Amino acid sequence: MKLKFKVTGMTCAACSARVEKVTKAVPGVEGAEVNLLAGTMAVEAENDQVTECIIRAVENAGYQASVPESAAKEAPQEKDPLKEMKTRIWGSALCLVVLMYFTMGHMVGLPVPGWYHSPLVAALLQFFLTLPVVYLNRVYYGRGLTALWHRGPNMDSLIAVGSLAALVYGAAALFRMAYALDQGDMATVKLYSENLYFESAAMILTLITLGKFLEARAKGKTGDAIRALMDLSPKVARVRREDQVIEVPVDQVNVGDTVIVRSGDQIPVDGTVLSGRASIDQSALTGESVPVEKLPGDTVAAATISTEGYLEFRADKVGADTTLSQVIRMVEEAGGSKAPIARLADKIAGIFVPTVMVIAAVTFAAWMLAGYGLEFALRCGISVLVISCPCALGLATPVAIMVGTGRGAQMGVLFKNAEALENLHSVDTVVLDKTGTLTTGKPQVTDVIPGKLNKEELLNLAAALECKSEHPFAKAIIEKAGNAVTPAEDFETLPGQGVAGTIDGVRCYGGNRRLMETLGIEVPDLPELAKEGKTPLHFGNAEGVYLGTIAAADVLKPDSAAAVEAMEKLGVKVVMLTGDNGATAAAIASKAGIREVISDVLPTEKAGTVRKLQEEGRKVLMVGDGINDAPALATANVGMAIGAGTDIAMESADVVLMNSSLTSVSAAMELSRATIRNIRENLFWAFFYNTLGIPVAAGALFIPFGLQLSPMIGAAAMSLSSVFVVTNALRLRFFKSKTAPVPQAAEKTETKQEEITMETVLHVEGMMCNHCKARVEKACKAVPGTQDAVVDLAAKTVTVTGDAAREELKKAIEEADYQVVDD
């Protein structure tokens, strides 16, 4: 099972590596992943009985761990880290400015008091000005020396040892000066007064704290996307209880409650529309800017906004089960997961600090043995300690992952984990399921070709067979038949072939040519249908009689061709996967601009087809939306579910598109590539900085060029290196797709808004059934100026969009034998 912990006290990659190591050593723990940025740890364990053991192990390593529930209770008592660091910076800077004035002011001609010319007085003043800086930044000593004591040194250990070495040396120099002054040895007094290093200790601590402050402030922006999603959460809901409409806090809405939404309201929970009609702005969740019309039977999601209209809906999902809550949870988990690309950095981070401390000790010893003196050797050793930056290594990956997944959420692209984000960038083949992915998934009957039965008889038989089927073509046939039919008895679904049922005592079948061949029914060749991209459904009976054929076409989505072109611009091969016959599949693929087609694939064969492509050496992205796509989504290198699809498909996918636009596929691929490129830049900088900086700090340039790095410059460089990494990752917040075109609907937003604002609502008496509904809508649509008319039988209203005159509408409805009631 998966356990989550809040871990505090970690400051660098060495800390997270140490926490992971001690956690994995706990019996019953199968794996552990620490997110340094979020201060969290995810643990795979046999059971939750190891929780206390894990907390104890982490605390024994010098850190604090707690389960999220208890951490949340303690959170209000915690101090604001940025405010606390700001106080430390101002206090340290004040002392440092005074200290630097006295130690270096004379170099630029600044006046100093006469008493400061006494070497011992000057040294004591520097010492006492340094002590407040040390006290204000004592956190480094507390954490660093504790980690060192637990044999898990971290970045704080480097800072503590480096600044403490300078401070101890300065204090020892004070005693040497006092003794030399007593002995009248002014040469020794002068020597030590010029090499006290108090300003180095103060400067190191101040610059490190400044760097940490800038880093923390930048890191705070990485979670902007999640905070923006959380801010979308509605606070109150309007519900009907005991025939009264009341406002309640959203957390008091129960499943089954009837929720009221008026124009301008935010939808508080997920649910199903019971009555009314409204245009819903879903851009917060899907990224689509055009409002979507919602009618009875449609679903609505929390945090979307009713731009116009009135709805009553049944609450289906509340609290943590709403779509918004799931999106927030998914983004948090993805941002907190580790990408495979981070493994090398994690391995190095685990041994980085001990290695640096060894290098610093060797540097100090080497210069001492070379005869360059204590001061020179100490300066080089301290520089090595303070210039080394495990922070940059530790932050290189998680900050980019967190910002990248957050940006994806804003675009309507949800990555379930960092591994999916990384794997997507290396995909070279995109496999697109046809129905519901490339096409609208809402086919229409185009041809009725009679056999033994005439057209009307064939449509009625087909509707009786298909009325229990969930296939999109079934709905198209039922809609075409129009009349109420008696469902076939003993209904049976034949996977990948069709359906069967008993009508008037005769076993009848409807499906593809393969089914007819199995039954021994001879079907005429209809090549013209396939050429036009139409799918034929043949009908026959158990007596071997061919009854006829009904053709239906599932049209491409408006942006499918542009989406395919965008994918090809990224250098990937696009493959269409379908159960249709070869000719039909080729016709649809041609319209979409797809060159490679795999047709006649049964639902159970989709995963095998993806596996064959992988065996050819391809890295496959599978995009689908149906239940039968789930095995293929799980088999592919990356599975991507269209947001309008099924829950099962989304569970099996690694990436979820909250909208139904295929252009989001190429946008997701571009975002993945941009994020991985950003991580590589960060890792290169971290490795390059440390590989170059440590030798320079150790004095590698002194012998050939006479250059020696000051510990103060080393501290400044270390601070800026981690700030650079975080700032570079923050660039991903402004990512925009270069290949994905703007959906056509988005370009019409303004026009659409103008259209939906001109509406007339009429109360109509006498409407009893769908037949009445159709008559009233037809009468209204016949009036000049009417763009659309929608009847709500429950509310007994008709909503007319357009500029048709109210009196003309009233007259048309009354001529249709219905009565308009004035409000």
Side-chain angles (χ1 to χ4, degrees), residues 342-589:
R343 287 172 187 157
L344 177 60
D346 288 344
K347 288 179 181 177
I348 292 174
I351 60 170
F352 183 85
V353 175
T355 302
V356 167
M357 298 188 87
V358 169
I359 293 172
V362 170
T363 298
F364 176 80
W367 288 114
M368 284 292 290
L369 292 173
Y372 281 84
L374 177 62
E375 289 77 13
F376 186 90
L378 186 64
R379 180 186 285 255
C380 290
I382 293 172
S383 294
V384 169
L385 290 173
V386 298
I387 201 172
S388 307
C389 188
C391 277
L393 277 174
L395 293 171
T397 301
V399 289
I401 293 293
M402 183 171 279
V403 179
T405 52
R407 179 63 185 133
Q410 292 173 334
M411 296 165 56
V413 179
L414 302 182
F415 295 92
K416 286 193 175 178
N417 51 56
E419 187 173 359
L421 181 63
E422 179 175 347
N423 289 343
L424 186 58
H425 96 282
S426 59
V427 161
D428 56 26
T429 302
V430 178
V431 177
L432 300 174
D433 176 58
K434 189 204 78 173
T435 306
T437 303
L438 270 170
T439 63
T440 60
K442 296 179 180 178
Q444 296 177 338
V445 172
T446 57
D447 301 87
V448 180
I449 303 169
K452 179 72 174 177
L453 304 178
N454 61 37
K455 288 186 178 183
E456 186 176 350
E457 291 171 337
L458 178 60
L459 269 174
N460 288 336
L461 178 136
L465 265 181
E466 299 284 359
C467 64
K468 291 184 180 179
S469 173
E470 292 297 320
H471 196 282
F473 282 7
K475 295 177 182 178
I477 290 171
I478 295 166
E479 201 172 292
K480 182 71 173 178
N483 302 323
V485 295
T486 303
E489 298 174 352
D490 302 324
F491 175 81
E492 181 185 3
T493 298
L494 307 172
Q497 295 184 312
V499 295
T502 301
I503 301 175
D504 296 331
V506 181
R507 194 70 174 165
C508 298
Y509 299 87
N512 55 25
R513 181 177 289 273
R514 187 187 306 172
L515 174 61
M516 297 295 111
E517 290 174 351
T518 303
L519 297 169
I521 298 173
E522 189 174 338
V523 176
D525 288 329
L526 301 167
E528 66 280 0
L529 296 180
K531 288 179 182 178
E532 295 170 7
K534 300 173 183 177
T535 300
L537 294 174
H538 308 293
F539 294 87
N541 59 30
E543 298 171 357
V545 178
Y546 168 68
L547 303 176
T549 296
I550 295 177
D554 187 6
V555 297
L556 287 174
K557 291 178 181 177
D559 62 352
S560 288
V564 170
E565 184 182 356
M567 292 178 219
E568 291 184 338
K569 282 181 181 177
L570 294 176
V572 298
K573 294 180 180 178
V574 182
V575 179
M576 187 180 84
L577 188 65
T578 178
D580 289 344
N581 62 64
T584 302
I588 295 172

Side-chain angles (χ1 to χ4, degrees), residues 49-391:
Q49 296 177 357
V50 298
T51 300
E52 290 301 323
C53 296
I54 292 172
I55 292 174
R56 198 177 307 117
V58 172
E59 289 177 347
N60 289 340
Y63 305 93
Q64 295 78 47
S66 60
V67 292
E69 289 80 7
S70 61
K73 292 175 184 176
E74 296 169 10
Q77 301 173 357
E78 293 179 1
K79 295 179 180 178
D80 180 2
L82 284 177
K83 186 177 180 181
E84 188 261 343
M85 273 195 279
K86 195 180 291 186
T87 302
R88 284 163 48 198
I89 290 169
W90 282 112
S92 300
L94 181 62
C95 294
L96 183 62
V97 167
V98 177
L99 179 60
M100 297 302 289
Y101 179 89
F102 281 109
T103 55
M104 298 184 178
H106 63 280
M107 297 180 184
V108 292
L110 294 176
V112 293
W115 49 264
Y116 184 75
H117 293 294
S118 169
L120 188 59
V121 171
L124 285 169
L125 178 63
Q126 292 176 39
F127 178 66
F128 286 118
L129 284 171
T130 303
L131 288 180
V133 179
V134 173
Y135 177 77
L136 285 169
N137 297 285
R138 62 192 181 279
V139 63
Y140 297 123
Y141 301 103
R143 290 194 302 232
L145 298 179
T146 300
L148 197 57
W149 176 260
H150 287 99
R151 291 175 297 178
N154 55 23
M155 188 204 69
D156 288 337
S157 303
L158 297 178
I159 298 167
V161 172
S163 60
L164 204 56
L167 190 65
V168 169
Y169 173 82
L174 270 176
F175 286 98
R176 291 291 301 272
M177 286 175 65
Y179 178 77
L181 192 61
D182 184 60
Q183 300 295 315
D185 185 359
M186 297 308 295
T188 301
V189 172
K190 187 175 185 302
L191 173 66
Y192 280 106
S193 66
E194 294 172 354
N195 295 281
L196 287 171
Y197 287 107
F198 287 130
E199 76 279 5
S200 293
M203 182 69 81
I204 288 169
L205 293 170
T206 304
L207 288 175
I208 295 293
T209 303
L210 177 61
K212 283 286 179 186
F213 172 77
L214 295 174
E215 177 189 322
R217 194 169 66 172
K219 283 195 295 188
K221 295 178 182 178
T222 61
D224 282 353
I226 294 177
R227 282 189 290 274
L229 286 171
M230 289 179 172
D231 289 342
L232 292 174
S233 302
K235 303 299 184 287
V236 296
R238 195 181 290 111
V239 299
R240 176 175 283 120
R241 290 179 182 168
E242 298 178 358
D243 295 327
Q244 288 187 334
V245 177
I246 59 173
E247 281 195 359
V248 298
V250 74
D251 56 3
Q252 292 182 17
V253 178
N254 303 315
V255 172
D257 277 348
T258 298
V259 183
I260 314 298
V261 177
R262 299 191 177 105
S263 181
D265 286 354
Q266 195 174 29
I267 293 176
V269 296
D270 291 6
T272 303
V273 178
L274 298 174
S275 64
R277 172 197 165 280
S279 294
I280 304 298
D281 179 0
Q282 301 183 140
S283 59
L285 290 180
T286 67
E288 293 176 318
S289 58
V290 178
V292 177
E293 187 175 58
K294 297 291 182 179
L295 299 170
D298 292 339
T299 58
V300 291
T304 55
I305 299 171
S306 172
T307 59
E308 170 276 326
Y310 173 88
L311 285 181
E312 292 191 17
F313 70 90
R314 180 185 65 248
D316 295 335
K317 294 180 181 179
V318 300
D321 295 328
T322 64
T323 303
L324 177 65
S325 296
Q326 291 176 30
V327 168
I328 292 171
R329 187 160 57 249
M330 195 180 295
V331 174
E332 286 178 333
E333 288 177 356
S337 60
K338 281 193 176 181
I341 196 172
R343 287 172 187 157
L344 177 60
D346 288 344
K347 288 179 181 177
I348 292 174
I351 60 170
F352 183 85
V353 175
T355 302
V356 167
M357 298 188 87
V358 169
I359 293 172
V362 170
T363 298
F364 176 80
W367 288 114
M368 284 292 290
L369 292 173
Y372 281 84
L374 177 62
E375 289 77 13
F376 186 90
L378 186 64
R379 180 186 285 255
C380 290
I382 293 172
S383 294
V384 169
L385 290 173
V386 298
I387 201 172
S388 307
C389 188
C391 277

